[in-house]
Amino acid sequence: MTNVIKKYAVIGLMGVLSFSISSYAAIDAAAVNQVQNMPIEQQLAYIAQNKNETIEKRAEALRQLAQYPNQNSLVAVARALKEPSPVLRQAAITGANLYKFEHQWRLLAPLLNDPELSVRRAATVNLLRNYSTMSTDQKHKMEAPYQNLVAYLQHQPEQQLLMADAYRWYGDWKKADAIYQQLVIRDPQNSQIWLNLSDNYRAQDQDEEALVVLNKAIKQLPKEASLYYAKALTQVRLKQKKSAAESMTIATSLADNNSYYWYLNGVLHQDFDLTAAIASFEKAYLISGAPEQLYALCDIYIRHGNEKANACIVELAKVAPKSVIEELNKRRNL
């Protein structure tokens, strides 16, 4: 299932990126009255592309879109990266976090030479997150931007978390740890510090240490969904699958509108509670409307002979390549 989902997601993404700006019709004035009735992610995508809005409001919408990985978000971000306003380009870089790295690199690497210094730094930070998976050539192209970023951050005491992150992404674990340990004492209510400290251990394959950090963080911040999400992923790596499913359930209860949390909750519950798994996949798709989550829903319907399988495939056929539908129908008829 995983390979098919990835293949389908890439096909959909490339289709989105192949559109040119001129391919999109002007936003119909009549649609303005409908904006308030749209799901939040559609509202944000609408605002981000609406040239009648202020630059500041469009930029904020682009930054918020990073939380909603769907096709409308991708369209808005791809267009904004070509905007003449450096404020919009920088905001779109934040929104580009929802792309796979291969597409991020293609879109953002040119901005490493952007005429605006703030845009260059933003592009460096975004791409640096994937430094460990870069090719030798990509790492070579990142060296000068990385050194420039570090030199700048060393004189910015209010940005020490980003300094630690930059070291972590680059693979300098000890320098990163030294900063994180200071920050977590100074600001224990900042969940991002805890998350990044745990990730510094994860990057070194020290998942037991990462779990200890996350448990400490949860004692400080018991209502922070992202900590339970990170804990669930850590428990999966430690092969604590039942515990991971329990942690993920808590995450969904604390972030009820996060479609990816619901999707992962479905994945984790398949071996323990099929009813909960199906309900989670349904909730994920209901929230996002994302084709890849609809595919996952159809897949679990088919695998377990659910009566909703036919209707699901009919709905998926409206947006999925023919080959995907044929593959699902083939498995349904086995």
Coordinates of all heavy atoms in Angstrom, one line a residue, residues 24-109:
Y24 N -4.6 29.5 -14.1 CA -5.7 29.6 -13.1 C -6.6 30.8 -13.5 O -6.1 31.9 -13.8 CB -5.1 29.9 -11.8 CG -4.3 28.7 -11.3 CD1 -2.9 28.6 -11.5 CD2 -4.9 27.6 -10.7 CE1 -2.2 27.5 -11.1 CE2 -4.1 26.5 -10.4 CZ -2.8 26.5 -10.6 OH -2.1 25.4 -10.2
A25 N -7.9 30.6 -13.5 CA -8.8 31.7 -13.7 C -8.8 32.7 -12.6 O -8.5 32.3 -11.5 CB -10.2 31.1 -13.9
A26 N -9.1 33.9 -12.9 CA -9.2 34.9 -11.8 C -10.3 34.5 -10.8 O -11.3 33.9 -11.2 CB -9.5 36.3 -12.4
I27 N -10.0 34.9 -9.6 CA -11.0 34.5 -8.5 C -12.3 35.2 -8.8 O -12.3 36.4 -8.8 CB -10.4 34.8 -7.2 CG1 -9.1 34.0 -6.9 CG2 -11.4 34.5 -6.1 CD1 -8.4 34.4 -5.7
D28 N -13.4 34.5 -8.9 CA -14.7 35.0 -9.2 C -15.1 35.9 -8.0 O -15.1 35.4 -6.8 CB -15.7 33.9 -9.4 CG -17.0 34.4 -10.1 OD1 -17.5 35.4 -9.6 OD2 -17.4 33.8 -11.1
A29 N -15.6 37.1 -8.3 CA -16.1 37.9 -7.2 C -17.2 37.3 -6.4 O -17.4 37.5 -5.2 CB -16.6 39.3 -7.8
A30 N -18.0 36.5 -7.1 CA -19.1 35.8 -6.4 C -18.6 34.8 -5.3 O -19.3 34.5 -4.3 CB -20.0 35.1 -7.4
A31 N -17.4 34.3 -5.5 CA -16.9 33.4 -4.5 C -16.5 34.0 -3.2 O -16.4 33.3 -2.2 CB -15.6 32.7 -5.1
V32 N -16.4 35.4 -3.2 CA -16.0 36.0 -1.9 C -17.0 35.8 -0.8 O -16.7 35.6 0.3 CB -15.9 37.6 -2.2 CG1 -15.6 38.3 -0.9 CG2 -14.7 37.8 -3.2
N33 N -18.3 35.7 -1.2 CA -19.4 35.5 -0.3 C -19.3 34.1 0.3 O -20.0 33.8 1.3 CB -20.7 35.8 -0.9 CG -20.9 37.2 -1.3 OD1 -20.4 38.1 -0.6 ND2 -21.6 37.5 -2.4
Q34 N -18.6 33.2 -0.4 CA -18.6 31.8 0.1 C -17.4 31.5 0.9 O -17.3 30.4 1.5 CB -18.6 30.9 -1.2 CG -19.9 31.1 -2.0 CD -19.8 30.2 -3.3 OE1 -19.0 29.3 -3.4 NE2 -20.7 30.5 -4.2
V35 N -16.4 32.4 1.0 CA -15.2 32.1 1.6 C -15.4 31.7 3.1 O -14.8 30.7 3.6 CB -14.2 33.3 1.6 CG1 -13.0 33.1 2.4 CG2 -13.8 33.6 0.1
Q36 N -16.2 32.4 3.8 CA -16.4 32.1 5.2 C -17.0 30.7 5.5 O -16.9 30.2 6.6 CB -17.3 33.2 5.9 CG -18.7 33.3 5.3 CD -19.5 34.4 5.9 OE1 -19.0 35.1 6.8 NE2 -20.8 34.5 5.5
N37 N -17.6 30.1 4.4 CA -18.2 28.8 4.6 C -17.2 27.7 4.2 O -17.5 26.5 4.3 CB -19.5 28.7 3.8 CG -20.5 29.6 4.3 OD1 -20.7 29.8 5.5 ND2 -21.3 30.2 3.4
M38 N -16.0 28.1 3.7 CA -15.1 27.1 3.2 C -14.3 26.5 4.4 O -14.2 27.1 5.5 CB -14.0 27.7 2.3 CG -14.5 28.3 1.0 SD -13.1 29.1 0.1 CE -13.9 29.6 -1.4
P39 N -13.8 25.3 4.3 CA -12.9 24.8 5.3 C -11.7 25.7 5.5 O -11.3 26.4 4.5 CB -12.4 23.4 4.8 CG -13.6 23.0 3.8 CD -14.0 24.3 3.2
I40 N -11.1 25.7 6.6 CA -10.0 26.7 6.9 C -8.9 26.7 5.9 O -8.4 27.7 5.5 CB -9.5 26.5 8.3 CG1 -8.4 27.5 8.7 CG2 -8.9 25.1 8.5 CD1 -8.9 29.0 8.6
E41 N -8.5 25.4 5.5 CA -7.4 25.4 4.5 C -7.7 26.0 3.2 O -6.9 26.5 2.5 CB -6.9 23.9 4.4 CG -7.9 22.9 3.8 CD -8.8 22.3 4.8 OE1 -8.9 22.8 5.9 OE2 -9.3 21.2 4.5
Q42 N -9.0 25.8 2.7 CA -9.4 26.5 1.5 C -9.5 28.0 1.6 O -9.2 28.7 0.7 CB -10.8 25.9 1.1 CG -10.7 24.4 0.7 CD -12.1 23.9 0.1 OE1 -12.9 24.7 -0.3 NE2 -12.3 22.6 0.3
Q43 N -9.9 28.4 2.8 CA -9.9 29.9 3.0 C -8.5 30.5 2.9 O -8.3 31.5 2.3 CB -10.5 30.2 4.4 CG -12.0 29.9 4.6 CD -12.5 30.3 5.9 OE1 -12.1 31.4 6.4 NE2 -13.3 29.5 6.5
L44 N -7.5 29.8 3.5 CA -6.2 30.2 3.5 C -5.6 30.2 2.1 O -4.9 31.2 1.7 CB -5.3 29.3 4.4 CG -5.6 29.5 5.9 CD1 -4.9 28.4 6.7 CD2 -5.2 30.8 6.4
A45 N -5.9 29.2 1.3 CA -5.4 29.1 -0.1 C -6.0 30.2 -0.9 O -5.4 30.8 -1.8 CB -5.7 27.8 -0.7
Y46 N -7.3 30.5 -0.7 CA -8.0 31.6 -1.4 C -7.3 33.0 -1.0 O -7.0 33.7 -2.0 CB -9.4 31.6 -0.9 CG -10.2 32.8 -1.5 CD1 -11.0 32.6 -2.7 CD2 -10.3 34.0 -0.8 CE1 -11.7 33.7 -3.2 CE2 -11.0 35.0 -1.3 CZ -11.8 34.9 -2.5 OH -12.5 35.9 -3.0
I47 N -7.1 33.2 0.2 CA -6.5 34.5 0.7 C -5.1 34.6 0.1 O -4.7 35.7 -0.4 CB -6.5 34.6 2.2 CG1 -7.9 34.7 2.7 CG2 -5.6 35.8 2.6 CD1 -8.0 34.5 4.2
A48 N -4.3 33.5 0.1 CA -2.9 33.6 -0.3 C -2.8 34.0 -1.8 O -1.8 34.6 -2.2 CB -2.3 32.2 -0.1
Q49 N -3.8 33.6 -2.6 CA -3.8 33.9 -4.0 C -4.6 35.1 -4.5 O -4.6 35.5 -5.6 CB -4.3 32.7 -4.8 CG -3.5 31.4 -4.6 CD -4.2 30.2 -5.1 OE1 -4.1 29.9 -6.3 NE2 -4.9 29.5 -4.3
N50 N -5.2 35.8 -3.5 CA -6.1 36.9 -3.8 C -5.3 38.2 -3.8 O -4.9 38.7 -2.8 CB -7.2 37.0 -2.8 CG -8.2 38.0 -3.1 OD1 -8.1 38.8 -4.1 ND2 -9.3 38.1 -2.4
K51 N -5.0 38.7 -5.0 CA -4.2 39.9 -5.1 C -4.9 41.2 -4.6 O -4.3 42.2 -4.5 CB -3.8 40.1 -6.6 CG -2.9 39.0 -7.1 CD -2.5 39.2 -8.5 CE -1.6 38.1 -9.1 NZ -0.3 38.0 -8.3
N52 N -6.2 41.1 -4.3 CA -6.9 42.2 -3.6 C -6.6 42.3 -2.2 O -6.9 43.3 -1.5 CB -8.4 42.1 -3.9 CG -8.7 42.2 -5.3 OD1 -8.1 43.1 -6.0 ND2 -9.7 41.5 -5.8
E53 N -6.0 41.3 -1.6 CA -5.7 41.3 -0.2 C -4.3 42.0 0.0 O -3.5 42.1 -0.9 CB -5.6 39.9 0.4 CG -6.9 39.1 0.4 CD -7.8 39.6 1.5 OE1 -7.4 40.6 2.3 OE2 -8.9 39.0 1.7
T54 N -4.0 42.4 1.2 CA -2.7 43.0 1.5 C -1.6 41.9 1.5 O -1.9 40.7 1.7 CB -2.7 43.6 2.9 OG1 -2.9 42.6 3.9 CG2 -3.9 44.7 3.1
I55 N -0.4 42.4 1.3 CA 0.7 41.5 1.2 C 0.9 40.8 2.6 O 1.1 39.6 2.6 CB 2.0 42.3 0.9 CG1 2.0 42.8 -0.5 CG2 3.3 41.4 1.1 CD1 2.0 41.8 -1.6
E56 N 0.6 41.5 3.7 CA 0.8 40.9 5.0 C -0.2 39.8 5.2 O 0.1 38.7 5.8 CB 0.6 42.0 6.1 CG 1.8 43.0 6.1 CD 1.8 44.0 5.0 OE1 0.7 44.1 4.3 OE2 2.8 44.6 4.7
K57 N -1.5 40.0 4.8 CA -2.5 39.0 5.0 C -2.2 37.8 4.1 O -2.4 36.7 4.6 CB -3.9 39.6 4.7 CG -5.0 38.7 5.2 CD -6.4 39.4 5.1 CE -7.5 38.5 5.6 NZ -8.8 39.2 5.5
R58 N -1.8 38.0 2.9 CA -1.5 36.9 2.0 C -0.3 36.1 2.6 O -0.3 34.8 2.5 CB -1.2 37.4 0.6 CG -2.4 38.0 -0.1 CD -2.0 38.5 -1.5 NE -1.5 37.5 -2.3 CZ -0.9 37.7 -3.5 NH1 -0.6 38.9 -3.9 NH2 -0.6 36.7 -4.3
A59 N 0.7 36.8 3.1 CA 1.9 36.1 3.6 C 1.5 35.3 4.8 O 2.0 34.1 5.0 CB 2.9 37.1 4.0
E60 N 0.7 35.8 5.7 CA 0.2 35.0 6.9 C -0.5 33.8 6.5 O -0.4 32.7 7.0 CB -0.6 35.9 7.8 CG -1.1 35.2 9.1 CD 0.0 34.6 9.9 OE1 1.2 35.1 9.8 OE2 -0.2 33.6 10.7
A61 N -1.4 33.9 5.4 CA -2.1 32.7 4.9 C -1.2 31.7 4.4 O -1.3 30.5 4.7 CB -3.1 33.2 3.9
L62 N -0.1 32.1 3.7 CA 0.9 31.2 3.2 C 1.6 30.4 4.3 O 1.8 29.2 4.2 CB 1.9 31.9 2.3 CG 1.4 32.3 0.9 CD1 2.3 33.4 0.3 CD2 1.3 31.1 0.0
R63 N 1.9 31.2 5.3 CA 2.6 30.5 6.5 C 1.7 29.5 7.1 O 2.1 28.4 7.5 CB 3.1 31.6 7.5 CG 4.3 32.4 7.0 CD 4.8 33.3 8.1 NE 4.0 34.4 8.3 CZ 4.1 35.6 7.7 NH1 5.1 35.8 6.8 NH2 3.3 36.6 8.0
Q64 N 0.4 29.8 7.3 CA -0.5 28.9 7.9 C -0.8 27.7 7.1 O -1.1 26.6 7.6 CB -1.8 29.7 8.2 CG -1.8 30.7 9.2 CD -1.4 30.2 10.6 OE1 -1.9 29.1 11.0 NE2 -0.6 30.9 11.3
L65 N -0.6 27.8 5.8 CA -0.9 26.7 4.9 C 0.1 25.5 5.1 O -0.2 24.4 4.7 CB -0.8 27.1 3.4 CG -2.0 27.8 2.9 CD1 -1.8 28.3 1.4 CD2 -3.3 26.9 2.9
A66 N 1.2 25.8 5.8 CA 2.1 24.7 6.1 C 1.5 23.6 7.0 O 2.0 22.5 7.0 CB 3.4 25.3 6.8
Q67 N 0.4 24.0 7.6 CA -0.3 23.0 8.5 C -1.3 22.1 7.7 O -1.8 21.2 8.3 CB -1.1 23.8 9.6 CG -0.2 24.7 10.4 CD -1.1 25.5 11.4 OE1 -1.8 24.9 12.2 NE2 -1.1 26.8 11.2
Y68 N -1.5 22.5 6.5 CA -2.6 21.8 5.7 C -2.1 21.3 4.4 O -2.2 21.9 3.4 CB -3.8 22.7 5.5 CG -4.3 23.3 6.8 CD1 -4.0 24.6 7.2 CD2 -5.2 22.6 7.6 CE1 -4.5 25.1 8.4 CE2 -5.7 23.1 8.8 CZ -5.4 24.3 9.2 OH -5.9 24.9 10.3
P69 N -1.5 20.1 4.4 CA -0.9 19.5 3.2 C -2.0 18.9 2.3 O -2.4 17.8 2.4 CB 0.0 18.4 3.7 CG -0.7 18.0 5.0 CD -1.2 19.2 5.6
N70 N -2.5 19.8 1.4 CA -3.4 19.3 0.4 C -3.2 20.0 -1.0 O -2.3 20.9 -1.0 CB -4.9 19.5 0.8 CG -5.2 20.9 1.1 OD1 -4.9 21.8 0.3 ND2 -5.8 21.2 2.3
Q71 N -3.9 19.7 -2.0 CA -3.7 20.2 -3.3 C -3.8 21.7 -3.4 O -3.0 22.4 -4.0 CB -4.6 19.5 -4.3 CG -4.2 19.9 -5.8 CD -4.9 18.9 -6.7 OE1 -5.5 17.9 -6.4 NE2 -4.9 19.3 -8.0
N72 N -4.8 22.3 -2.8 CA -5.0 23.7 -2.8 C -3.8 24.5 -2.2 O -3.4 25.5 -2.7 CB -6.3 24.1 -2.1 CG -7.6 23.7 -2.8 OD1 -7.5 23.6 -4.0 ND2 -8.7 23.6 -2.1
S73 N -3.3 23.9 -1.1 CA -2.2 24.5 -0.4 C -1.0 24.5 -1.4 O -0.2 25.5 -1.5 CB -1.8 23.8 0.8 OG -2.9 23.8 1.7
L74 N -0.7 23.4 -2.0 CA 0.4 23.3 -2.9 C 0.3 24.3 -4.1 O 1.3 24.9 -4.5 CB 0.5 21.8 -3.5 CG 0.8 20.8 -2.5 CD1 0.7 19.4 -3.1 CD2 2.2 21.0 -1.9
V75 N -0.9 24.5 -4.6 CA -1.1 25.4 -5.7 C -0.7 26.8 -5.2 O 0.0 27.6 -5.9 CB -2.5 25.4 -6.2 CG1 -2.8 26.6 -7.1 CG2 -2.8 24.1 -6.9
A76 N -1.2 27.2 -4.1 CA -1.0 28.5 -3.5 C 0.5 28.8 -3.3 O 1.0 29.9 -3.6 CB -1.8 28.7 -2.2
V77 N 1.2 27.8 -2.7 CA 2.6 27.9 -2.4 C 3.4 28.0 -3.7 O 4.3 28.9 -3.8 CB 3.1 26.8 -1.6 CG1 4.6 26.7 -1.5 CG2 2.5 26.9 -0.1
A78 N 3.1 27.2 -4.7 CA 3.9 27.2 -5.9 C 3.8 28.5 -6.6 O 4.8 29.0 -7.2 CB 3.4 26.0 -6.8
R79 N 2.6 29.1 -6.6 CA 2.4 30.4 -7.3 C 3.2 31.5 -6.5 O 3.8 32.4 -7.1 CB 0.9 30.7 -7.3 CG 0.1 29.8 -8.2 CD -1.3 30.2 -8.3 NE -1.5 31.5 -9.0 CZ -2.6 32.1 -9.1 NH1 -3.7 31.7 -8.5 NH2 -2.7 33.2 -9.8
A80 N 3.1 31.5 -5.2 CA 3.7 32.5 -4.4 C 5.2 32.6 -4.5 O 5.8 33.6 -4.3 CB 3.3 32.4 -2.9
L81 N 5.8 31.4 -4.7 CA 7.3 31.4 -4.9 C 7.8 32.2 -6.1 O 8.9 32.5 -6.2 CB 7.8 29.9 -5.0 CG 7.7 29.1 -3.7 CD1 7.9 27.7 -4.0 CD2 8.7 29.6 -2.7
K82 N 6.8 32.5 -7.0 CA 7.2 33.3 -8.2 C 6.8 34.8 -8.0 O 7.0 35.6 -9.0 CB 6.5 32.7 -9.4 CG 6.9 31.3 -9.7 CD 6.1 30.7 -10.9 CE 6.3 29.2 -11.1 NZ 7.7 29.0 -11.5
E83 N 6.2 35.2 -6.9 CA 5.8 36.5 -6.7 C 6.9 37.5 -6.6 O 8.0 37.2 -6.1 CB 5.0 36.6 -5.4 CG 3.6 36.0 -5.4 CD 2.6 36.9 -6.1 OE1 2.9 38.0 -6.4 OE2 1.4 36.4 -6.3
P84 N 6.7 38.7 -7.1 CA 7.8 39.8 -7.0 C 8.1 40.2 -5.6 O 9.2 40.7 -5.3 CB 7.3 40.9 -7.9 CG 5.8 40.7 -7.9 CD 5.6 39.2 -7.9
S85 N 7.1 40.1 -4.7 CA 7.2 40.5 -3.3 C 8.1 39.6 -2.5 O 7.8 38.4 -2.4 CB 5.9 40.7 -2.6 OG 6.0 40.8 -1.2
P86 N 9.2 40.0 -2.0 CA 10.1 39.1 -1.1 C 9.4 38.6 0.1 O 9.7 37.6 0.6 CB 11.3 40.0 -0.8 CG 10.8 41.4 -0.9 CD 9.8 41.4 -2.0
V87 N 8.4 39.4 0.6 CA 7.6 39.0 1.8 C 6.8 37.7 1.4 O 6.8 36.8 2.2 CB 6.7 40.1 2.2 CG1 5.8 39.6 3.4 CG2 7.5 41.3 2.7
L88 N 6.2 37.7 0.2 CA 5.4 36.6 -0.2 C 6.3 35.4 -0.5 O 6.0 34.2 -0.2 CB 4.6 36.9 -1.4 CG 3.4 37.9 -1.1 CD1 2.7 38.2 -2.4 CD2 2.4 37.3 -0.1
R89 N 7.5 35.6 -1.1 CA 8.4 34.5 -1.4 C 8.9 33.9 -0.1 O 8.9 32.7 0.0 CB 9.6 35.1 -2.2 CG 9.2 35.6 -3.6 CD 10.4 35.6 -4.6 NE 11.6 36.4 -4.1 CZ 11.7 37.7 -4.2 NH1 10.7 38.4 -4.7 NH2 12.8 38.3 -3.7
Q90 N 9.2 34.7 0.8 CA 9.7 34.1 2.1 C 8.6 33.4 2.8 O 8.8 32.3 3.4 CB 10.2 35.2 3.0 CG 10.8 34.7 4.3 CD 11.5 35.8 5.1 OE1 11.8 36.9 4.5 NE2 11.8 35.6 6.3
A91 N 7.3 33.9 2.8 CA 6.2 33.2 3.4 C 5.9 31.9 2.7 O 5.6 30.8 3.3 CB 5.0 34.1 3.4
A92 N 6.1 31.9 1.4 CA 5.9 30.6 0.6 C 6.9 29.6 0.9 O 6.6 28.4 0.8 CB 5.9 31.0 -0.9
I93 N 8.1 30.0 1.2 CA 9.1 29.1 1.6 C 8.7 28.3 2.9 O 8.9 27.1 3.0 CB 10.5 29.8 1.9 CG1 11.1 30.3 0.6 CG2 11.5 28.8 2.6 CD1 12.3 31.2 0.7
T94 N 8.1 29.0 3.8 CA 7.5 28.3 5.0 C 6.4 27.3 4.6 O 6.4 26.2 5.0 CB 7.0 29.3 6.0 OG1 8.0 30.2 6.4 CG2 6.3 28.6 7.2
G95 N 5.6 27.8 3.7 CA 4.5 26.9 3.2 C 5.0 25.7 2.4 O 4.3 24.7 2.4
A96 N 6.2 25.8 1.9 CA 6.8 24.7 1.1 C 7.2 23.5 1.9 O 7.7 22.5 1.4 CB 7.9 25.2 0.2
N97 N 7.1 23.6 3.2 CA 7.4 22.5 4.1 C 6.6 21.2 3.8 O 7.0 20.1 4.1 CB 7.2 22.8 5.5 CG 8.3 23.8 6.0 OD1 9.4 23.8 5.5 ND2 7.9 24.6 7.0
L98 N 5.5 21.4 3.1 CA 4.6 20.2 2.8 C 5.1 19.5 1.5 O 4.5 18.5 1.2 CB 3.2 20.7 2.7 CG 2.8 21.9 1.8 CD1 2.7 21.5 0.3 CD2 1.6 22.6 2.2
Y99 N 6.1 20.0 0.9 CA 6.6 19.3 -0.3 C 7.6 18.2 0.1 O 8.2 18.3 1.1 CB 7.3 20.2 -1.3 CG 6.5 21.2 -2.0 CD1 6.0 22.4 -1.3 CD2 6.1 21.0 -3.3 CE1 5.2 23.3 -2.0 CE2 5.3 21.9 -3.9 CZ 4.9 23.1 -3.3 OH 4.1 24.0 -3.9
K100 N 7.7 17.2 -0.8 CA 8.7 16.2 -0.6 C 10.0 16.9 -1.0 O 10.0 17.9 -1.8 CB 8.5 15.0 -1.6 CG 7.4 14.1 -1.2 CD 7.3 13.0 -2.2 CE 6.1 12.1 -1.8 NZ 6.2 11.4 -0.5
F101 N 11.2 16.4 -0.4 CA 12.4 17.2 -0.6 C 12.8 17.4 -2.0 O 13.3 18.4 -2.4 CB 13.6 16.5 0.2 CG 14.9 17.2 0.0 CD1 15.1 18.5 0.4 CD2 15.9 16.5 -0.8 CE1 16.3 19.1 0.1 CE2 17.1 17.1 -1.0 CZ 17.3 18.4 -0.6
E102 N 12.6 16.4 -2.8 CA 13.1 16.5 -4.2 C 12.4 17.7 -4.9 O 13.0 18.3 -5.8 CB 12.8 15.2 -5.0 CG 11.3 14.8 -5.0 CD 11.0 13.4 -5.6 OE1 11.2 13.3 -6.9 OE2 10.7 12.5 -4.9
H103 N 11.1 17.9 -4.5 CA 10.4 19.1 -5.1 C 10.8 20.4 -4.4 O 10.9 21.4 -5.0 CB 8.9 18.8 -5.0 CG 8.5 17.5 -5.7 ND1 8.7 17.3 -7.0 CD2 7.9 16.4 -5.2 CE1 8.3 16.1 -7.3 NE2 7.8 15.5 -6.3
Q104 N 11.0 20.3 -3.1 CA 11.5 21.4 -2.4 C 12.8 22.0 -3.0 O 13.0 23.2 -3.2 CB 11.8 21.1 -0.9 CG 10.5 21.0 -0.1 CD 10.9 20.8 1.4 OE1 12.1 20.6 1.8 NE2 9.9 20.8 2.3
W105 N 13.7 21.0 -3.3 CA 15.0 21.4 -3.8 C 14.8 22.1 -5.2 O 15.4 23.2 -5.5 CB 15.9 20.2 -4.0 CG 17.3 20.6 -4.5 CD1 17.7 20.6 -5.8 CD2 18.4 21.2 -3.8 NE1 19.0 21.0 -6.0 CE2 19.4 21.4 -4.7 CE3 18.6 21.5 -2.5 CZ2 20.6 22.0 -4.3 CZ3 19.8 22.0 -2.1 CH2 20.8 22.3 -3.0
R106 N 14.0 21.5 -6.0 CA 13.8 22.1 -7.3 C 13.2 23.5 -7.3 O 13.5 24.4 -8.0 CB 12.8 21.2 -8.2 CG 12.6 21.6 -9.6 CD 12.2 20.5 -10.5 NE 10.9 19.9 -10.1 CZ 9.8 20.3 -10.6 NH1 9.7 21.2 -11.5 NH2 8.6 19.7 -10.3
L107 N 12.3 23.7 -6.3 CA 11.6 25.0 -6.2 C 12.5 26.0 -5.4 O 12.5 27.2 -5.8 CB 10.3 24.8 -5.4 CG 9.2 24.1 -6.2 CD1 8.0 23.8 -5.2 CD2 8.7 25.0 -7.3
L108 N 13.1 25.6 -4.4 CA 13.8 26.5 -3.5 C 15.3 26.8 -3.7 O 15.8 27.8 -3.3 CB 13.6 26.1 -2.0 CG 12.1 25.9 -1.6 CD1 12.1 25.6 -0.1 CD2 11.3 27.1 -1.8
A109 N 16.0 25.8 -4.3 CA 17.4 26.0 -4.5 C 17.7 27.3 -5.3 O 18.7 28.0 -4.9 CB 18.0 24.8 -5.3

